[in-house]
Amino acid sequence: MSMHMDDTEAPPPRPECAGRRLRIAFVVHEYNRHHGHSRYVAELATRFKRQHDVHIFAASFEEPNPENLTFHHVPKWRANAVTNDLSFFIGAAWKVPDSFDIVHAQGFCSPRQNVVTAHMCNAAWFDAIDRFHVPQSWRKRIYRAISTTAEKLVYRPQAARRFIAVSHRVRRDLENFHGLRDQIRVVYHGTDIERFHPRNREAWRATIRQELQIGEREIVALYVGDWQKVGPAVVGALAKVPDVRCIVVTRTPSNIILSDARAAGIEGRITLVPPTPEIHRYYGAADFFLFPTFYDTFGLVLTEAMASGLPAIASREAGASELIVDRENGWLIQNAWDHEEIALGIRALATDEMLRNRMGSAARTSMEHRTWDCVAAETLPIYYEVVAETKSANR
């Protein structure tokens, strides 16, 4: 069993201040429901605004229901990744006051916070890039030097009272690369189990397959995300299993992906789709999900696929793989990018419809208990811990 239940912290004692109305400030680069960090904040803010005073500090806002939320614009210079991060950090220092009970920042985006969610550990990410020999441009090397240095400012014991890790893999990264220990709490991401639902298969399978010129009876794998994380692994494994098609939803330039596919002799079996807000339709069109990533702190697409009733082939390098019980609600790869091991999983799922259905049904069931309501319920006690500690320290 792969789920990390044995090392999950016991709930702390309920602080005396628990239950009182809080003034909460979220600090995030962009506020929307489309991208990981942004969606995380939007989901929590939507739930907390019912009983608390919630403020959002961000460079842009996209909210269909802004009632009971207060927005504050933080300026930033978007010339490149470095100026984007540093200018927002400086802007947040100027904009975010000390008057909140909780200032909840997302990684490196504010010098003033008492709760930080680690969505990413750049030091661990670049370490994985080195281990898997992923090419880096000179721009990425410059960003690496700056981002890993800047990260040390945020992931140090004095920077916040609590650090929320989105998986146990992130917790280990924070411990190994930044020396954090007792201040870390693990709270897995949630999933919108109504949007990502097995009924999307009936609603969208035929339509999407017709649009992509894929036959109804063809076996189709799906990958969603940055091709860099899985490219060689996906084409290498598919080359060993004939007749399986793969839909790739990504912003990676098509020439890179098609070049990899051509080199592996599977160019005709790869169908490219640009990023889309209607991603749930593509989960409905696939037979199983591929996620043999060499590094991912969580991987929301993995839990979205599982909630959609898709069996997933995932590497243990993904934080969300901690929610998979091997061969029960998913298929775990022990060694990321091992073509033979990935091909074994593809072959098993491609040739056994009963296995796909059983595993997909179990995946859905496991996600029904991992909603955003659960995330909010697990996060709020952390806030009260911080408020209680702050109060005690100020006596």
Side-chain angles (χ1 to χ4, degrees):
M1 193 163 162
S2 68
M3 297 175 72
H4 289 231
M5 300 305 231
D6 55 336
D7 55 348
T8 301
E9 309 85 352
R14 182 178 170 87
E16 292 182 8
C17 60
R20 79 171 177 84
R21 182 177 173 86
L22 300 177
R23 295 193 75 235
I24 303 169
F26 286 102
V27 188
V28 61
H29 278 257
E30 319 292 341
Y31 182 89
N32 58 59
R33 297 178 183 272
H34 309 309
H35 305 110
H37 304 187
S38 307
R39 189 189 321 174
Y40 170 83
V41 170
E43 296 289 357
L44 290 182
T46 297
R47 286 155 179 82
F48 291 153
K49 73 179 184 179
R50 299 165 189 163
Q51 295 179 309
H52 304 279
D53 180 17
V54 178
H55 294 244
I56 311 295
F57 292 81
S60 66
F61 309 95
E62 181 183 325
E63 174 55 63
N65 181 21
E67 186 178 356
N68 295 332
L69 291 175
T70 304
F71 296 97
H72 306 266
H73 179 252
V74 177
K76 68 175 179 178
W77 184 26
R78 305 171 188 266
N80 54 55
V82 172
T83 62
N84 181 80
D85 291 355
L86 292 180
S87 62
F88 186 88
F89 186 86
I90 294 169
W94 168 48
K95 281 279 189 175
V96 182
D98 293 323
S99 57
F100 291 96
D101 297 307
I102 297 294
V103 178
H104 188 167
Q106 315 309 306
F108 177 76
C109 67
S110 172
R112 182 180 292 118
Q113 69 274 305
N114 49 20
V115 178
V116 178
T117 292
H119 299 273
M120 183 70 180
C121 178
N122 281 308
W125 161 252
F126 286 113
D127 178 70
I129 281 180
D130 290 342
R131 286 187 287 109
F132 283 83
H133 308 291
V134 179
Q136 297 179 68
S137 66
W138 64 268
R139 284 189 176 86
K140 287 185 178 179
R141 292 182 184 278
I142 292 175
Y143 179 74
R144 173 178 186 163
I146 295 173
S147 66
T148 52
T149 300
E151 188 176 75
K152 293 177 182 178
L153 295 174
V154 175
Y155 298 145
R156 57 190 174 87
Q158 302 80 11
R161 291 194 177 273
R162 291 293 182 275
F163 298 86
I164 297 176
V166 298
S167 64
H168 284 277
R169 105 137 289 152
V170 179
R171 178 179 192 138
R172 291 191 298 273
D173 290 341
L174 294 179
E175 290 173 344
N176 294 336
F177 288 93
H178 297 292
L180 291 175
R181 290 291 183 272
D182 297 336
Q183 295 161 277
I184 306 173
R185 301 288 183 269
V186 175
V187 179
Y188 292 118
H189 279 322
T191 303
D192 184 341
I193 61 173
E194 289 304 310
R195 183 179 182 219
F196 302 105
H197 195 284
R199 61 173 169 259
N200 288 328
R201 180 181 180 89
E202 183 178 348
W204 296 107
R205 180 181 174 92
T207 301
I208 294 298
R209 286 187 173 223
Q210 186 175 14
E211 288 179 4
L212 300 179
Q213 299 182 330
I214 296 174
E216 171 61 26
R217 299 183 64 83
E218 290 189 81
I219 299 298
V220 176
L222 172 69
Y223 171 70
V224 180
D226 182 357
W227 185 249
Q228 176 184 231
K229 295 180 181 180
V230 303
V234 167
V235 296
L238 286 174
K240 298 178 180 295
V241 186
D243 302 325
V244 175
R245 296 281 296 270
C246 187
I247 299 172
V248 179
V249 183
T250 183
R251 63 182 70 254
T252 302
S254 59
N255 63 301
I256 294 175
I257 301 170
L258 294 177
S259 175
D260 289 346
R262 193 177 304 116
I266 63 165
E267 184 178 6
R269 291 196 274 145
I270 298 288
T271 300
L272 300 181
V273 176
T276 169
E278 306 299 330
I279 188 61
H280 60 285
R281 301 180 180 183
Y282 294 88
Y283 292 121
D287 294 299
F288 58 90
F289 192 69
L290 278 178
F291 204 65
T293 178
F294 69 81
Y295 180 84
D296 217 297
T297 53
F298 189 77
L300 273 170
V301 292
L302 179 53
T303 52
E304 290 171 358
M306 293 171 69
S308 301
L310 284 181
I313 300 171
S315 75
R316 291 185 182 273
E317 299 299 329
S321 72
E322 295 164 16
L323 301 173
I324 292 177
V325 179
D326 192 22
R327 313 297 170 95
E328 292 186 24
N329 65 343
W331 190 290
L332 287 177
I333 302 302
Q334 306 300 321
N335 302 298
W337 285 22
D338 185 317
H339 299 176
E340 292 288 352
E341 192 179 0
I342 299 165
L344 179 66
I346 294 174
R347 192 175 296 111
L349 291 176
T351 57
D352 191 336
E353 184 177 4
M354 289 182 64
L355 177 64
R356 292 199 302 272
N357 291 340
R358 175 177 62 78
M359 200 174 282
S361 177
R364 168 65 190 184
T365 299
S366 63
M367 287 301 103
E368 288 174 348
H369 304 288
R370 198 61 240 160
T371 66
W372 287 108
D373 285 341
C374 295
V375 178
E378 293 170 15
T379 301
L380 194 57
I382 298 172
Y383 289 175
Y384 285 121
E385 286 181 47
V386 168
V387 171
E389 282 188 13
T390 303
K391 182 179 178 180
S392 177
N394 291 337
R395 283 175 181 168

